[in-house]
Amino acid sequence: MENGIKGWTTSGLWHQVVRNDSHSGTHSWWYGQDASGNYDTGGANAGDLTSPAIYIATADQYLRFWYWYETEMSETAYDQRWVQISVDGGPFQTVQQLYDDPMKKWLQSSAINLSAYAGHLIQIRFSFATLDNQNNKYTGWYIDDLNISNTPLPTCKDTHEPNNNSTQATTITYGQTLSADICASGDYDFYTFTGTADDKIIVDITASVNGSALDSYVTLLGSDGVNVLTMNDDNFSKLDSQFGYTLPYSGRYYLKVRERNHPSVGGSDYFYTLNLMKDNIKPTLAKITAPLNDSWLNHTKETITVSASDAESDIRRVQFLWHSADWQNSDWVLLGEDIDGKNGWSFDFDTSGLTEQRGGTFYIFAYDWAGNWLGDGVWGVGLDRTPPTVSVTVRPMYQDANFLDFWLSWDNGQDNLAGIASYDIQYRDGATGSWVDLLTKTTDTFYRFLGKEGHTYYFRARAIDLAGNQSSYADGNGDSQRTVQTCAIAADSYEADGSNLLAQAISTNGQWQTHNFNVVGDHDWLKFTATANVTYTLATTNTGGHADTVLYLYDKDGTTLITSNDDDYNNSPASRLVWVAPTNGTYYIKIEHWDTNAYGCTTAYGVSINGTSQVLTVKGAWTVDSLNLSAMPRTQFSPGETVRIKLQVENQTNQAIGTIWDIWVTRPDGGIDKVEVNAPFNVPLGLNPIYSYPYTAPMQSGMYTFSAKFTWDNGQQQIEQSVGFEVVSFTTPTPTPSATPSSTATTPTTTPIPNTTTMLDNFEANMNLGQDSFGNSVGMVIWGSTANNVILTQTTVANSDPLAKPNQIGLNRLLKIDYNIETAGWGGFTHVFENATATEWVSQNWTSYKGLSFWLYGANTAAQIQVEIFDNRAVGDSGDSAERFYYRLDDNFSGWKKFEIPFTNFQRRADWQPTGAPDDGLNLTQVHGYAFSFPIVNGTHTHYLDDVTVYSDQPTLTPTSTPTSIALTSTPTPTSTPTPIAPTSTSTPTPTQTSTPTPTITPTSPVFSSIYLPVVIKKN
């Protein structure tokens, strides 16, 4: 077009223009207006660009030209672009309509075969028409580089050709893959298939990934072969086309495949495969990999990453939602979606505007190409920007003791939300010394520091919380300081006595000796002569004020340890042992300071041994009757009666003063219930008082054994005694509604009020674990985000063991809990209430009780432990729909602590409830279990648990009302931590869950009658 008009004629808006971006050179023909740059004339318009006459000499000629356009649409029903030919001056006939081609780029037309015009003169006309006056403000149509040559069409090896329109369409079926080519420039491949309404189909083109030059474009057409239902160019991760679509009706459909740059390219290197499939299966995986449950967000941007896969059609997109911790006043927010998974699925969440909070949630939906979805959520997410605070305090080992060592503590750490993860501790020796790391990344909150005489030490601490916020060390001299100054003491008169070979003799008449610790590591050995069957009380005194003695008793060989004691419970830190000599002979004692670095002027102590032949003997026999003390004894009991244990103390000499600690009940199944008493007694000579304690027995018939543990003090010694009684058989005959009660099983007219405490778990028996008929685990069920991040075992400790509970007498079995919850993980255990054989989930009625109680051995993690009650569930549900109520306690202590948590302190969980959970408050009529969940803290930590009970504040001595017994009902139990249900949204599908109704089975629950325990205490 560089040589001027040259016989071309125009009408309408066609004219020749000079433009630097013509296909070649600077001249081309344009349908448009110079003034406006478009073809909008205010009305419908049309025009033709007509070539001069051209003679076609041979039959091997092809017409090609280059063009550029921008119009309202590229489809056939909108602005028209026609190529027409007139033969020998005759009328113009359309040979090609340009459509379905990309705009705003130079394209070469498909080759138009001119063999039919050989030996004739032809004219070529380019005809443009808007058809209407709407949407005409577009650039228009350019023509350049028209060419007629004998260059042939590329050879086509596609066996499906011709399939260039819907009437020639190749048939394809679900699950079939066909191979084909876009043969020559301008080639279309049409396919047809039959589908059913609501079929979720996937159309997948594979080309560029296999080295093809094809950049595919695929269109789904309706039954007429024209109406466009959907289309796709690229599937975002590659040039190949792919789409999913749900068919709206049953019948015939068409697929049209072309090159994206149609009609410019095509040939044998434009090959592809077409796969048609039906996919009604949801994705196989949709998992949020970061952040995790109970994790803390980055202060400015949090990248949510997702692992997702689909076995059928692959993942198409992932949608991201957020819910703040304010569940009452906010709603789900659609953050956005990721539609390109070639680098993984993720979303960058701007957290810079979020307020500090704890309890937020992310939820994602992963959609496959067919529209099937799978969701996942992370819960308990928080944002904490505030650094924690902490400081080191210094205190002597004992009050004002001047020893080489002393305590450092930093248990005053505070954090806004996340909780403290670890501490760094530094010290400095002297005012001009350098700060040195003492501990890094520790979770401990105390440390025993050993210094040097005359040195001054400075200490400081910093903390890092679970959200990554870190406090700063104090400047200057840090948080605290201490100067080490000891005071000397001369060796006691019994030195040298540092081994069993040097042991000094001591009498057994109660005479006191005075010793001390005069050097580091000092320990004193003594020996005494013992007589078989005589009770010896070995005791020390804290004469110097800081003599924390540890007392060891060795056998006659001087090396075999018999027993030991650190602190006398009633006279700490002095020590005390009560021991009955098994045989005559010489026995050995070693005494040392608990703090092996302690010595000096405040460590003097006294030691004595007192032998006595006085023995506490106990005898007793069962007497059993109804609530009336004058009623006749009975040995069989009907359902509905209550056990009342009566302990009779008979004093035959002097005045008996002591304490009844516990009454133990061994059940027929081997389990042991403990009735905590902790009641003092003071019995003058000749009196035989009866002490009464209630016990609510479980629904078991068989043999029960009762024993009592108490101490008696004659002013010089305290004697511990477990009293075993003969076994009594409880029978539970099945009641007949019309039967007359037996004369030997008279039902009382009044029933004692409920027990003050009812033991749920004292862990004396082995833990139950079973499965109910619905396949749910029952008993003690462990759960966690990873295997073995919570481990439960049982351990037995003696009363001299450091793990012994306060006032413990004899052996006691504890539940040991070891846990190491990984970052953003979770773990704990649930006691899913079970029957005796661990084959049913049972519920309990707690309406007669005030709260939940237990003993817990703290680990001082500065984190929180969550205690939950599983209340009533949805009627007829065979799964877990029990309503959750929780209480959080602070693990800011070490050693044993008893908790009594009123039910009124439990709150309904707002962050999550199982599907179908009632919302009717904590009514306690059907309690299905309790649970403990443990915090995320660095490293492995250990707690001990004992005596989980429900308690009441009602008196127990006088029967005044009918109790509400603990009902046992057959109910399914959860087997694992439930998966949260996806949030409901108008734009996002919500998964639902259904449950299979099951009838409730309520077996008869026997409650036993009164039992009297006369216990005779004799002092000889």
Side-chain angles (χ1 to χ4, degrees):
M1 306 301 179
E2 302 301 316
N3 297 320
I5 303 297
K6 294 294 184 179
W8 287 79
T9 60
T10 63
S11 65
L13 303 180
W14 282 107
H15 63 290
Q16 194 173 56
V17 293
V18 177
R19 56 178 283 169
N20 293 329
D21 59 347
S22 295
H23 179 257
S24 67
T26 58
H27 292 71
S28 56
W29 291 99
W30 175 37
Y31 187 89
Q33 302 175 106
D34 293 324
S36 63
N38 58 49
Y39 53 88
D40 185 7
T41 63
N45 58 84
D48 299 324
L49 170 65
T50 306
S51 74
I54 303 170
Y55 179 72
I56 306 301
T58 61
D60 57 355
Q61 302 298 301
Y62 295 87
L63 169 65
R64 297 177 176 90
F65 59 91
W66 288 85
Y67 67 96
W68 186 105
Y69 83 103
E70 182 192 26
T71 61
E72 179 181 356
M73 293 285 285
S74 65
E75 304 306 318
T76 58
Y78 297 89
D79 296 338
Q80 307 288 295
R81 292 173 291 128
W82 300 91
V83 181
Q84 300 171 333
I85 293 180
S86 167
V87 181
D88 296 330
F92 282 91
Q93 302 292 327
T94 299
V95 295
Q96 188 178 75
Q97 181 181 10
L98 295 175
Y99 71 98
D100 211 14
D101 44 356
M103 294 186 191
K104 302 175 73 172
K105 64 185 301 184
W106 283 100
L107 301 169
Q108 186 177 37
S109 69
S110 59
I112 300 175
N113 191 343
L114 300 180
S115 61
Y117 310 113
H120 295 275
L121 286 171
I122 66 170
Q123 285 182 287
I124 303 166
R125 185 168 76 181
F126 299 95
S127 180
F128 184 89
T130 65
L131 302 182
D132 58 33
N133 62 352
Q134 303 295 316
N135 299 316
N136 293 331
K137 291 183 179 181
Y138 295 95
T139 305
W141 190 15
Y142 288 89
I143 301 294
D144 199 4
D145 293 341
L146 183 141
N147 174 266
I148 297 175
S149 71
N150 62 356
T151 302
L153 294 172
T155 302
C156 182
K157 298 180 181 180
D158 186 349
T159 59
H160 306 296
E161 291 290 346
N163 59 350
N164 300 316
N165 52 57
S166 60
T167 61
Q168 300 173 333
T170 301
T171 300
I172 188 171
T173 59
Y174 290 147
Q176 187 176 11
T177 300
L178 298 178
S179 298
D181 301 334
I182 295 298
C183 288
S185 57
D187 184 26
Y188 285 112
D189 289 344
F190 276 78
Y191 301 88
T192 184
F193 68 94
T194 301
T196 303
D198 298 325
D199 280 353
K200 294 180 178 180
I201 68 164
I202 306 298
V203 175
D204 183 22
I205 297 288
T206 303
S208 64
V209 295
N210 291 332
S212 174
L214 179 66
D215 182 0
S216 60
Y217 198 101
V218 62
T219 306
L220 176 66
L221 305 172
S223 58
D224 59 359
V226 176
N227 183 38
V228 175
L229 301 179
T230 189
M231 63 187 71
N232 179 259
D233 179 6
D234 302 331
N235 76 349
F236 303 103
S237 62
K238 55 186 179 180
L239 293 176
D240 298 337
S241 306
Q242 186 178 26
F243 67 79
Y245 189 76
T246 301
L247 299 183
Y249 55 82
S250 298
R252 182 170 296 278
Y253 293 86
Y254 293 90
L255 296 171
K256 181 177 67 174
V257 181
R258 65 172 174 86
E259 159 64 41
R260 183 180 185 276
N261 292 315
H262 171 90
S264 292
V265 293
S268 59
D269 55 345
Y270 288 79
F271 56 87
Y272 67 93
T273 60
L274 170 65
N275 178 240
L276 175 66
M277 70 182 80
K278 181 170 65 172
D279 180 6
N280 290 319
I281 301 174
K282 65 183 180 181
T284 54
L285 175 66
K287 180 68 176 177
I288 299 177
T289 55
L292 301 178
N293 288 320
D294 299 313
S295 61
W296 296 92
L297 303 179
N298 184 278
H299 298 171
T300 56
K301 182 182 74 174
E302 183 71 26
T303 299
I304 311 161
T305 60
V306 173
S307 178
S309 59
D310 183 77
E312 299 290 325
S313 60
D314 209 354
I315 298 298
R316 169 67 177 83
R317 61 190 176 96
V318 177
Q319 194 175 66
F320 296 81
L321 296 92
W322 158 257
H323 199 298
S324 77
D326 185 0
W327 288 85
Q328 293 184 344
N329 301 308
S330 64
D331 205 346
W332 288 97
V333 176
L334 177 61
L335 300 178
E337 60 182 33
D338 186 357
I339 58 176
D340 184 1
K342 62 177 177 291
N343 294 319
W345 303 101
S346 64
F347 185 86
D348 289 336
F349 179 35
D350 183 2
T351 59
S352 60
L354 284 184
T355 59
E356 291 188 316
Q357 57 187 279
R358 182 177 187 174
T361 295
F362 289 112
Y363 208 90
I364 61 99
F365 292 96
Y367 293 87
D368 64 17
W369 282 86
N372 305 299
W373 62 268
L374 185 65
D376 184 46
V378 294
W379 310 84
V381 177
L383 180 65
D384 182 359
R385 295 188 176 91
T386 305
T389 60
V390 68
S391 62
V392 177
T393 59
V394 176
R395 60 181 176 85
M397 291 297 295
Y398 305 88
Q399 301 170 338
D400 59 346
N402 292 317
F403 295 153
L404 294 176
D405 55 351
F406 48 91
W407 288 112
L408 308 178
S409 64
W410 49 94
D411 54 1
N412 55 6
Q414 299 289 327
D415 189 62
N416 182 36
L417 285 174
I420 295 176
S422 64
Y423 304 91
D424 297 332
I425 311 299
Q426 290 185 333
Y427 77 97
R428 190 180 72 196
D429 186 353
T432 60
S434 299
W435 288 102
V436 178
D437 287 336
L438 177 64
L439 299 170
T440 58
K441 304 303 180 186
T442 182
T443 57
D444 292 333
T445 56
F446 60 91
Y447 181 83
R448 187 166 65 167
F449 186 87
L450 179 60
K452 296 180 180 179
E453 178 70 30
H455 286 234
T456 299
Y457 297 92
Y458 302 84
F459 302 93
R460 64 184 187 179
R462 70 181 180 188
I464 183 170
D465 65 19
L466 293 169
N469 303 299
Q470 181 173 276
S471 62
S472 299
Y473 284 122
D475 295 328
N477 289 331
D479 301 326
S480 58
Q481 66 185 71
R482 180 173 175 82
T483 301
V484 177
Q485 292 179 332
T486 61
C487 61
I489 190 172
D492 62 61
S493 60
Y494 298 95
E495 295 287 354
D497 55 357
S499 70
N500 58 354
L501 299 178
L502 300 175
Q504 300 292 316
I506 186 171
S507 68
T508 59
N509 61 2
Q511 184 176 354
W512 292 89
Q513 293 183 1
T514 301
H515 294 250
N516 65 51
F517 304 107
N518 69 308
V519 293
V520 171
D522 188 14
H523 51 267
D524 301 328
W525 282 81
L526 299 93
K527 59 185 177 181
F528 67 98
T529 301
T531 302
N533 298 320
V534 173
T535 300
Y536 294 91
T537 301
L538 295 72
T540 64
T541 62
N542 179 19
T543 304
H546 302 140
D548 184 0
T549 56
V550 182
L551 184 61
Y552 301 90
L553 175 62
Y554 290 89
D555 210 341
K556 290 175 287 187
D557 60 3
T559 58
T560 303
L561 181 66
I562 297 174
T563 187
S564 64
N565 177 258
D566 178 6
D567 294 331
D568 178 2
Y569 180 74
N570 294 316
N571 193 27
S572 178
S575 307
R576 186 172 185 270
L577 285 173
V578 178
W579 170 71
V580 178
T583 60
N584 298 336
T586 299
Y587 295 83
Y588 294 84
I589 302 170
K590 182 178 74 171
I591 303 172
E592 64 184 17
H593 201 288
W594 178 87
D595 178 4
T596 57
N597 295 298
Y599 69 93
C601 60
T602 60
T603 62
Y605 68 90
V607 58
S608 71
I609 303 177
N610 185 29
T612 176
S613 59
Q614 289 183 325
V615 179
L616 179 70
T617 59
V618 179
K619 66 179 182 179
W622 289 108
T623 56
V624 182
D625 56 29
S626 63
L627 297 176
N628 187 344
L629 294 178
S630 62
M632 294 298 293
R634 291 188 288 117
T635 58
Q636 289 189 334
F637 308 93
S638 300
E641 296 185 88
T642 300
V643 170
R644 185 171 292 275
I645 304 171
K646 297 219 168 189
L647 183 66
Q648 184 174 19
V649 179
E650 179 180 348
N651 182 24
Q652 297 183 348
T653 58
N654 298 326
Q655 187 175 32
I657 301 174
T659 302
I660 303 169
W661 295 110
D662 304 303
I663 295 177
W664 296 77
V665 185
T666 303
R667 303 190 304 266
D669 62 0
I672 298 177
D673 295 332
K674 181 171 70 174
V675 180
E676 291 192 18
V677 178
N678 194 15
F681 63 82
N682 189 334
V683 183
L685 176 64
L687 295 183
N688 304 309
I690 295 176
Y691 296 88
S692 174
Y693 308 102
Y695 167 64
T696 301
M699 188 185 66
Q700 296 176 13
S701 62
M703 311 299 286
Y704 285 73
T705 301
F706 292 77
S707 63
K709 292 188 178 182
F710 56 91
T711 60
W712 167 75
D713 198 334
N714 67 357
Q716 296 181 0
Q717 59 183 310
Q718 206 170 43
I719 299 176
E720 301 174 356
Q721 182 73 42
S722 292
V723 184
F725 293 91
E726 63 180 287
V727 174
V728 173
S729 176
F730 289 171
T731 62
T732 56
T734 303
T736 304
S738 60
T740 302
S742 169
S743 61
T744 62
T746 305
T747 302
T749 56
T750 61
T751 307
I753 61 176
N755 198 349
T756 30
T757 61
T758 293
M759 185 67 64
L760 302 178
D761 288 303
N762 62 12
F763 308 108
E764 298 298 329
N766 292 335
M767 292 182 288
N768 265 348
L769 181 62
Q771 196 173 73
D772 69 1
S773 58
F774 297 96
N776 300 308
S777 295
V778 297
M780 205 65 72
V781 180
I782 304 172
W783 38 265
S785 51
T786 59
N788 297 323
N789 67 355
V790 175
I791 299 175
L792 301 183
T793 54
Q794 289 171 279
T795 182
T796 301
V797 298
N799 57 355
S800 59
D801 194 290
L803 285 175
K805 286 167 52 183
N807 301 327
Q808 178 178 321
I809 300 172
L811 300 178
N812 185 32
R813 203 175 191 193
L814 309 171
L815 179 66
K816 182 183 180 184
I817 308 152
D818 295 298
Y819 66 94
N820 185 357
I821 312 299
E822 65 279 8
T823 301
W826 43 268
F829 72 90
T830 302
H831 185 178
V832 182
F833 292 151
E834 79 279 21
N835 62 354
T837 57
T839 56
E840 291 185 33
W841 181 20
V842 300
S843 65
Q844 300 182 2
N845 187 322
W846 288 0
T847 55
S848 297
Y849 299 92
K850 178 182 179 181
L852 182 69
S853 174
F854 50 85
W855 283 87
L856 182 68
Y857 193 94
N860 206 9
T861 62
Q864 288 189 316
I865 298 171
Q866 182 159 303
V867 185
E868 290 193 38
I869 294 175
F870 288 23
D871 201 27
N872 60 311
R873 63 182 181 89
V875 176
D877 186 12
S878 61
D880 175 19
S881 59
E883 190 175 7
R884 295 326 197 250
F885 295 84
Y886 76 95
Y887 176 85
R888 292 190 181 123
L889 60 92
D890 293 319
D891 180 26
N892 56 4
F893 63 97
S894 299
W896 286 106
K897 185 174 182 179
K898 185 174 183 180
F899 287 84
E900 290 189 349
I901 310 169
F903 292 136
T904 54
N905 286 6
F906 282 84
Q907 304 178 53
R908 189 178 193 270
R909 282 188 60 174
D911 58 338
W912 178 82
Q913 290 285 339
T915 302
D919 188 3
D920 54 1
L922 185 59
N923 56 50
L924 302 173
T925 56
Q926 287 186 332
V927 179
H928 295 82
Y930 67 85
F932 282 75
S933 59
F934 298 97
I936 301 170
V937 287
N938 288 345
T940 299
H941 295 267
T942 301
H943 293 283
Y944 296 87
L945 184 68
D946 198 18
D947 294 346
V948 183
T949 66
V950 284
Y951 68 90
S952 171
D953 57 0
Q954 297 173 315
T956 60
L957 296 179
T958 306
T960 58
S961 62
T962 302
T964 303
S965 61
I966 296 181
L968 306 178
T969 59
S970 174
T971 314
T973 181
T975 59
S976 63
T977 300
T979 301
I981 299 302
T984 302
S985 171
T986 57
S987 61
T988 305
T990 301
T992 59
Q993 177 177 321
T994 59
S995 59
T996 304
T998 181
T1000 299
I1001 305 171
T1002 307
T1004 304
S1005 302
V1007 184
F1008 302 106
S1009 181
S1010 299
I1011 298 175
Y1012 303 98
L1013 248 71
V1015 178
V1016 180
I1017 301 177
K1018 292 186 177 179
K1019 184 166 62 176
N1020 297 325

